[in-house]
Amino acid sequence: GQGKNDLAISFIEEVMQEHPDQPILKRALAARLHFAGRTDEAIAILDVLGENLMQTGDKHGAQEVINQIILTNPPNVSDYRQLLIQMQSS
């Protein structure tokens, strides 16, 4: 239920304080936030993560993050789909 999800969010946030550079934790947090109905927060985390991955040259990781954003079905999902197509063709 929602209580367990809130507990999971708190736990992931605590672990992130100890390991702030772990993309998998940010992706897990975003998934839990989306599940809790906090999709805007989830997308904000994923946007920053995707940018960071691109800057460090992890194109594959950035594509996975964009796919995760697309799965949340944001209002501007077509922009993310277009970005993904551009990344795959470059």
Side-chain angles (χ1 to χ4, degrees), residues 1 5 13 18-19 26 31-32 42-43 46 49 51 63 72 74-76 85 90:
N5 195 52
E13 288 174 336
E18 297 172 22
H19 306 280
K26 293 176 184 176
R32 284 293 175 172
I43 292 171
L46 293 172
L49 177 57
E51 288 284 329
Q63 288 173 333
T72 67
N76 59 339
I85 291 168
S90 64

Side-chain angles (χ1 to χ4, degrees), residues 6 82 85:
D6 289 343
Q82 185 62 37
I85 291 168

Side-chain angles (χ1 to χ4, degrees), residues 5-59:
N5 195 52
D6 289 343
L7 204 61
I9 289 170
S10 295
F11 175 75
I12 296 168
E13 288 174 336
E14 285 179 31
V15 174
M16 281 178 57
Q17 289 177 3
E18 297 172 22
H19 306 280
D21 296 330
Q22 292 296 317
I24 193 71
L25 294 174
K26 293 176 184 176
R27 291 186 64 192
L29 177 60
R32 284 293 175 172
L33 289 170
H34 173 64
F35 183 73
R38 296 163 57 184
T39 303
D40 290 345
E41 291 174 67
I43 292 171
I45 289 169
L46 293 172
D47 272 335
V48 171
L49 177 57
E51 288 284 329
N52 290 342
L53 290 170
M54 283 299 292
Q55 289 175 359
T56 61
D58 187 354
K59 183 177 173 182

